[in-house]
Amino acid sequence: MPNSYAPQLPTDYSYLDRDEFRAKYTERSGTQIRFFVGGMRCGKCVRTLEQIPLRLKGVRRLRVELSRSLAEAEIDPAEISFSDLANEIARLGFQPIPITPEQGADALGRQTDRRELIRLAIAGALAGNIMTFSFAAYFGAEGEWLTAFQWLSFVLYLPVLTYVAWPFYVGAWNSLKNKQLSIDLPMAIASVSGFVFSTVQLLRGRDDIYFDSLSGFLFLILAARWLQRRMQRRFLRPELLTESSQLGRARVLGENGWDWAPTESLKPGSEIFVTMGESLPADSELVTESALFSLAWLSGENSPRIFRAGAMVPAGARLVAGSARLIAKKPLAETGFGRILQQAQQFSLSENRVISLADKWAQWLLGIVFTTALIFLALYSMVSVEEAIRRSLALIILACPCAMAFGTPLALAAALRKARQAGLIVQDANVFENTRRVETVFFDKTGTLTDTELTLREDPKIIPEDYKSIILGLENESLHPIAFALRKALADENVIPIPLRNRKEIPGRGVEGSIGKRFFELKSGPANGYSHCVLFENGTPVFHFTFAAEINRDAREVLVDLRRRGYRVALLSGDKQAVADQLSKDLDFEFDEVHCEVTPEMKAEIVGRTPKAMMVGDGVNDSLAMMRATVGVAVRGGVEAALKSSGVYLCESGLKGITRLIEISEGAASSIKTNLMVSVIYNSVGGALALLGYINPLVAALLMPASSGFILLSTWWRGIR
């Protein structure tokens, strides 16, 4: 829930409705605005904010990015104003700071981090000094010296009570306003009640005062929360995918020749060099005479495009063959593809069943702890008022469900980090849970289990030289997969293409052209499970060629691994029976696992009637099936379009990303179970010992952060492995 780590702001945001401020802060015809949201630190905060459109009429959309404390909202100005939205965010206990379209949230985030560190440093200094005075009592100080040290502890605890503990008071008050129990509540109660109890004991001349334990307790909690937020921001950084992939670096020409440089260091005018299979990290102007680039990431086009010298090649374009030199014109972050990537990587923790369940358990645990403490205080006061207060205070301090509240979203954030490092774009936290439910995995054929490129099965050396030149003359400018296969096969033959008159490419039929009185046609079609084409000369067949789609290099390994794990695998293909049968033999599919000659609608029907199914395929052509599946995984197609129908995009990981997704999902579940188990056992055992008198408030204050520390270390370790 929210706290007050961000700078305190006025709650009147009416200035946002004035024309000059609307022009400054809004975009898209005055309907969109961005806020840096102070006090947002957990998945529950995200869900609280993202539920605003459900409560506030006129808010069309509100998307929250936890890693940068950023909220992007779109409203209907006819129904609601920006000041109304800002006031609603403030009413929930957060601090909305409007950001201009050109301004980033990072600077404000750094300011907030500095304020948090200052508060943490002051808390540590005060706690350390109070502990020093307390040691005097532990080592035998008596009389006036002991009294002086105790009153010094009292004086030093006053800023702890007011300044250091202030975030807990704000968080507790805001949660109570929203009729919820917050984990800030026991902190606030412990701070105030412990101060009152210790002050009364001090005035009565007693030795059992707890200024030292309370100050140390608050310092440790602040430190744990600071570490938690740092980890969460690190795991949820949207730039992590590009940093861990080829897009995060570029070969740049410098004073000492070509060398790797971070993508963010690219400036307009930098000369870059890419080789086959690499993607452009910037909008660039082509220097090389010509180059063949695939735009699959951008538009989903399977056929590469030829670019000539001087042409602008967009960021995200992948070089299909050879190498190319280019001049960077616009860095990745400012390009259309960069914006697509940033949007695609916005990971949502909201509306996750596991997190919601953990929040409910934390609420119930808080309720049980407070109820138990009050009942115990009332009953045990008949035996000893002081002991009843002492044990109840120890229970409240010790049994705070901090670990339960933040352990689950932190585990999911760590899973996201591992997924991005593996080259996976995951849209929301539900993907990990849904992946664990999958029992059947459906695969598309073309471009999924097989490469989109075809390979000539015959030896090109049997073709006479003059016919090789004619074939290249026919296919030299074609973008058909068969044309690519023929050019690839003849690439090492030192063949010079012969220009043909009246050359024409007829979609769905082939290419044709003439040399003198000789008329040539190259027609394609399926045959015996393979793609097939025939070269005709004046209507007479001269050569027959067959082509096979290369099986994806990871397909066999992934299918074997899935079967070993107990998954049922199946093939969905639009190809003819013979083509599908050939692939099923190569990849060991059973007869009932192969569905051929199926349309996209038929794929969706098959997947839809299969419970707990994963669909792996083209993000565009298989979109209907992916939307009907429990988990949709796109292996190709434009990123933006693919993620509208699928929950996962295999960016650079290949088919091995599927098994990696399963492993990460299982690891996340294991981490969540461990965190919840530790929290439940710790709170149950510790609470019982506190009520039995074996743990006093001092020991409780030292033990309370232990569970949070264990979960932080455990999740951090799982997140970096």
Side-chain angles (χ1 to χ4, degrees):
M1 286 300 292
N3 57 49
S4 64
Y5 289 126
Q8 298 300 305
L9 297 177
T11 56
D12 180 17
Y13 295 90
S14 58
Y15 69 91
L16 291 175
D17 300 328
R18 291 167 55 183
D19 291 342
E20 61 268 34
F21 286 101
R22 268 205 307 269
K24 179 180 180 180
Y25 292 118
T26 64
E27 50 189 339
R28 289 199 183 178
S29 304
T31 62
Q32 290 191 354
I33 192 169
R34 296 189 308 158
F35 292 104
F36 175 84
V37 183
M40 180 172 62
R41 58 177 172 81
C42 63
K44 190 171 184 178
C45 299
V46 173
R47 290 193 300 282
T48 299
L49 289 167
E50 289 188 340
Q51 288 172 0
I52 287 178
L54 302 177
R55 300 191 304 269
L56 212 57
K57 186 178 180 182
V59 181
R60 295 171 179 165
R61 179 179 61 86
L62 195 147
R63 187 181 61 80
V64 179
E65 186 180 332
L66 180 59
S67 61
R68 293 191 293 171
S69 299
L70 189 66
E72 296 181 355
E74 182 179 359
I75 69 167
D76 182 354
E79 295 187 346
I80 194 174
S81 66
F82 288 115
S83 63
D84 292 334
L85 174 59
N87 282 317
E88 175 66 13
I89 295 174
R91 186 190 69 79
L92 293 172
F94 304 96
Q95 297 86 42
I97 304 174
I99 302 173
T100 64
E102 298 79 20
Q103 185 182 10
D106 295 338
L108 291 171
R110 286 191 292 270
Q111 291 178 15
T112 303
D113 286 343
R114 281 195 292 271
R115 287 183 174 87
E116 293 177 15
L117 280 174
I118 291 172
R119 189 185 301 274
L120 183 59
I122 292 173
L126 292 169
N129 281 281
I130 293 173
M131 286 287 185
T132 301
F133 294 136
S134 299
F135 288 154
Y138 300 147
F139 288 109
E142 297 177 351
E144 293 181 357
W145 282 107
L146 176 60
T147 302
F149 288 139
Q150 289 176 334
W151 279 105
L152 283 172
S153 297
F154 168 82
V155 172
L156 288 177
Y157 187 76
L158 292 178
V160 174
L161 177 71
T162 54
Y163 172 73
V164 172
W166 183 253
F168 303 117
Y169 304 147
V170 174
W173 174 247
N174 288 327
S175 65
L176 291 175
K177 282 197 304 182
N178 293 304
K179 299 179 180 179
Q180 294 179 337
L181 291 177
S182 165
I183 57 175
D184 288 322
L185 190 57
M187 314 297 179
I189 291 176
S191 177
V192 175
S193 60
F195 170 76
V196 172
F197 177 76
S198 297
T199 302
V200 171
Q201 294 293 84
L202 179 60
L203 292 172
R204 295 175 63 189
R206 299 295 184 90
D207 294 338
D208 51 343
I209 60 176
Y210 300 108
F211 297 130
D212 51 353
S213 58
L214 291 171
S215 59
F217 157 70
L218 293 173
F219 166 71
L220 291 172
I221 291 299
L222 284 175
R225 289 189 174 186
W226 186 81
L227 287 172
Q228 174 221 337
R229 285 191 296 276
R230 295 287 293 182
M231 287 176 60
Q232 204 155 253
R233 288 175 184 174
R234 182 183 176 189
F235 291 164
L236 292 176
R237 278 190 308 147
E239 299 85 5
L240 184 59
L241 177 63
T242 51
E243 288 179 2
S244 61
S245 69
Q246 183 266 316
L247 280 170
R249 62 187 187 276
R251 290 188 192 86
V252 181
L253 182 60
E255 295 179 358
N256 300 319
W258 296 103
D259 198 6
W260 288 109
T263 295
E264 58 267 21
S265 69
L266 281 181
K267 295 179 176 60
S270 299
E271 189 167 352
I272 59 179
F273 184 83
V274 293
T275 60
M276 184 175 67
E278 294 179 350
S279 300
L280 280 182
D283 284 353
S284 309
E285 180 182 338
L286 185 63
V287 176
T288 304
E289 183 178 346
S290 65
L292 195 64
F293 283 93
S294 168
L295 304 182
W297 271 22
L298 298 157
S299 62
E301 296 178 31
N302 292 327
S303 301
R305 286 173 52 184
I306 297 175
F307 290 83
R308 306 292 180 186
M312 288 297 299
V313 187
R318 182 175 59 85
L319 188 65
V320 173
S323 60
R325 295 175 65 169
L326 306 97
I327 297 176
K329 294 296 183 181
K330 189 181 291 185
L332 181 65
E334 299 177 14
T335 66
F337 182 65
R339 286 189 290 271
I340 289 172
L341 267 186
Q342 288 176 2
Q343 184 176 0
Q345 295 180 83
Q346 301 309 319
F347 180 76
S348 175
L349 287 172
S350 63
E351 302 303 325
N352 179 264
R353 189 187 69 86
V354 177
I355 294 179
S356 298
L357 190 60
D359 284 341
K360 288 180 181 178
W361 287 353
Q363 292 278 317
W364 276 103
L365 182 56
L366 276 173
I368 292 171
V369 167
F370 285 128
T371 302
T372 303
L374 289 173
I375 294 174
F376 181 86
L377 179 63
L379 295 177
Y380 207 81
S381 293
M382 293 183 289
V383 178
S384 170
V385 174
E386 289 184 7
E387 191 65 22
I389 294 174
R390 188 179 292 110
R391 295 188 187 186
S392 298
L393 180 60
L395 173 65
I396 292 174
I397 292 174
L398 188 67
C400 174
C402 288
M404 183 179 292
F406 72 72
T408 299
L410 198 59
L412 291 172
L416 170 68
R417 174 185 171 85
K418 299 182 81 168
R420 286 178 177 169
Q421 288 177 328
L424 310 178
I425 297 179
V426 179
Q427 288 213 83
D428 61 69
N430 293 309
V431 166
F432 299 121
E433 183 187 2
N434 290 339
T435 298
R436 296 190 64 249
R437 296 166 49 208
V438 168
E439 296 177 353
T440 303
V441 183
F442 289 98
F443 287 91
D444 175 45
K445 172 185 169 289
T446 306
T448 303
L449 291 178
T450 65
D451 294 333
T452 53
E453 298 178 4
L454 299 175
T455 302
L456 180 66
R457 301 183 70 236
E458 287 78 21
D459 186 350
K461 296 185 182 300
I462 65 173
I463 307 172
E465 294 299 320
D466 59 334
Y467 279 103
K468 291 179 183 177
S469 298
I470 292 168
I471 291 170
L472 279 187
L474 288 168
E475 297 284 37
N476 198 39
E477 297 182 7
S478 175
L479 296 179
H480 193 278
I482 284 180
F484 279 106
L486 288 171
R487 289 199 295 266
K488 181 180 177 182
L490 299 175
D492 298 330
E493 300 293 316
N494 297 320
V495 179
I496 299 175
I498 297 177
L500 283 82
R501 291 186 298 108
N502 301 322
R503 181 195 172 281
K504 182 168 58 175
E505 183 169 1
I506 305 171
R509 180 178 172 185
V511 290
E512 59 185 44
S514 302
I515 301 177
K517 295 182 178 180
R518 302 167 70 189
F519 176 68
F520 294 93
E521 295 174 283
L522 196 59
K523 297 181 180 180
S524 61
N528 299 323
Y530 298 100
S531 296
H532 173 257
C533 75
V534 181
L535 177 66
F536 292 87
E537 181 178 353
N538 295 328
T540 302
V542 180
F543 289 103
H544 292 258
F545 302 106
T546 53
F547 304 87
E550 289 286 338
I551 294 176
N552 187 294
R553 65 180 183 276
D554 298 327
R556 288 188 178 88
E557 181 181 346
V558 169
L559 289 171
V560 168
D561 189 34
L562 289 174
R563 290 174 178 130
R564 179 183 60 81
R565 293 172 182 267
Y567 292 94
R568 175 179 175 264
V569 295
L571 173 66
L572 299 177
S573 174
D575 290 323
K576 299 293 184 182
Q577 182 76 49
V579 178
D581 285 347
Q582 182 63 49
L583 182 67
S584 66
K585 291 177 184 176
D586 293 337
L587 296 178
D588 299 324
F589 281 101
E590 299 294 336
F591 175 78
D592 62 343
E593 295 175 342
V594 178
H595 306 268
C596 57
E597 300 184 53
V598 290
T599 64
E601 291 78 12
M602 293 169 66
K603 288 183 181 180
E605 182 183 350
I606 294 170
V607 172
R609 67 170 181 253
T610 305
K612 302 177 183 178
M614 175 187 289
M615 178 65 202
V616 184
D618 187 315
V620 178
N621 296 330
D622 299 319
S623 59
L624 290 176
M626 288 179 176
M627 286 189 285
R628 298 288 299 276
T630 303
V631 178
V633 179
V635 298
R636 62 190 178 99
V639 176
E640 187 174 27
L643 287 176
K644 290 180 180 178
S645 56
S646 62
V648 184
Y649 188 92
L650 304 186
C651 194
E652 291 189 346
S653 58
L655 285 180
K656 287 186 177 179
I658 298 168
T659 53
R660 193 74 186 103
L661 175 64
I662 292 171
E663 291 168 354
I664 292 170
S665 300
E666 291 173 348
S670 174
S671 182
I672 290 170
K673 288 178 181 177
T674 300
N675 291 348
L676 291 176
M677 182 179 67
V678 168
S679 182
V680 170
I681 293 175
Y682 168 85
N683 283 284
S684 301
V685 175
L689 292 175
L691 292 180
L692 292 172
Y694 293 107
I695 296 178
N696 62 29
L698 173 60
V699 176
L702 297 174
L703 290 177
M704 190 273 162
S707 62
S708 299
F710 173 83
I711 286 175
L712 284 171
L713 289 174
S714 173
T715 306
W716 174 79
W717 176 249
R718 290 173 183 264
I720 64 172
R721 282 192 303 172

